[in-house]
Amino acid sequence: MKILIVTQYFYPENFKSNDLAFELQKRGHDVTVLTGIPNYPEGKIYDGFGFFKNRKQKINGVKVIRALLLPRGNGGGIRLFLNYFSWAFFASLRSIRLSYSKKFDAVIVHEPSPITQFYPALMVKRIQKTPIYFWVMDLWPESLEIAGGIKNKFVLNFFTKMVQKFYNESEKILITSKGFKKSILQKGNYANKIEYFPNWAEDTISSGNVDYPIPALPSGFKVMFAGNIGEAQDMESIMDTALKLKDSHSNIKFILVGDGRKMPFVQEFIKKHDLQKTVYTLGRFPVEAMASFFKAADVLLVSLKDDPIFNLTVPAKVQAYMSSGKPIMAMLNGEGSQNIKEADCGFAVPAGDSGKLAQVLKNAAQIDEEELNRMGLNGKSFYEKNFKLEECISNLEKIISRK
């Protein structure tokens, strides 16, 4: 099949769109990706790219076309708005030209925020009548209201109507969490369009190089958080947990691998409360390093704020953590917490409950290594049965071929 993937984010940025495109190409499909100039998450255009540099590429056989955008900068509201809409505008123009030069059998929209990524796909559908498969990874306008702090009814109603239009135009609505179904059905009769299409972990994590060089880690019971350090991840509660354990259980070490908008808060909190001996911020590393980091951890920490939209979400790192064969320490609600309990692969406490997390960490630090290994292997087994890349893409091929 000739498949067009529409996404604002693509390699060398680290998103599931990379695996999606490369795996489909590997299976013999002719894959084109319409994307942006890489600038996530730092907000600066990556070295080697620019308005006149590497706008067209071929990566692992995948044709990559990069539309112009305004970089996201420091991630402030106005700059994000301009980033989102500039790409949607220029990518829509590019998709019109593309529609007259190549016929596609299917268009897949990969949608972490923003939802405006749908517009270029809509242009292709208008011209070619090509079916759109909308991979919803972030619920709108809920994420705009809760994560973005937007309360204006006019703005929220505007985006609600936009979402409904996109759902109406979709052949299928692919959801990463079964909890998304309720929100989508509240916006219309889309039951026959919804298909479950969960996240997976990168091969570099599930079967990667555990000898990748990483910094020396502190001794003690290592609690590792890897990934985006943003508003949704509730770093306030994680830091409060570290503060609660600082004096009585200084052997419990929090290791943060990653970066994001909340990193300045984290670093200031560490400094203010003298947590330098129990909380370590290591910064960002390539995904190839994650297998080494995870191997060195005792438990892997995942957290989300206690908000309605996050209670419907399964963070992608849950699957990544499971695939590594390490036990998970979760501070979240909803389907992600249920998955961990069902797999018997770790510990789960309610979102935002730093007191409960501190207590469970104290207990976990006393558990023998054999029991921790058992939980980790349970998670890996659950992952292989439910979330392997190969199985997910095979299911997607079936969905697309049923049109």
Side-chain angles (χ1 to χ4, degrees), residues 205-329:
I205 295 174
S206 57
S207 57
N209 177 17
V210 295
D211 296 319
Y212 192 100
I214 61 173
L217 302 182
S219 60
F221 187 77
K222 292 180 278 293
V223 182
M224 185 173 291
F225 178 101
N228 184 44
I229 298 174
E231 292 289 344
Q233 285 70 39
D234 195 6
M235 302 313 295
E236 292 87 352
S237 293
I238 292 176
M239 290 298 97
D240 191 47
T241 303
L243 186 57
K244 285 178 165 64
L245 297 171
K246 171 189 170 185
D247 297 322
S248 62
H249 289 75
S250 59
N251 65 308
I252 297 177
K253 311 294 186 182
F254 291 81
I255 300 166
L256 310 183
V257 182
D259 204 351
R261 293 172 64 186
K262 291 296 285 188
M263 183 56 85
F265 158 79
V266 170
Q267 292 172 333
E268 181 61 29
F269 194 98
I270 292 169
K271 183 178 178 182
K272 180 179 179 181
H273 297 282
D274 295 321
L275 293 171
Q276 294 88 347
K277 294 183 179 179
T278 55
V279 182
Y280 300 79
T281 58
L282 304 186
R284 293 180 68 234
F285 283 82
V287 67
E288 291 80 10
M290 290 304 106
S292 285
F293 275 114
F294 291 172
K295 181 186 178 184
D298 292 294
V299 295
L300 301 174
L301 176 62
V302 57
S303 59
L304 282 177
K305 282 187 172 179
D306 184 15
D307 280 321
I309 188 172
F310 299 139
N311 294 343
L312 301 177
T313 301
V314 180
K317 65 164 57 76
V318 169
Q319 284 94 339
Y321 285 178
M322 284 183 171
S323 76
S324 73
K326 287 286 184 172
I328 300 173
M329 181 70 64

Side-chain angles (χ1 to χ4, degrees), residues 22 25-26 58-62:
F22 298 148
Q25 182 74 32
K26 190 168 75 173
K58 199 160 194 176
I59 306 172
N60 294 342
V62 174

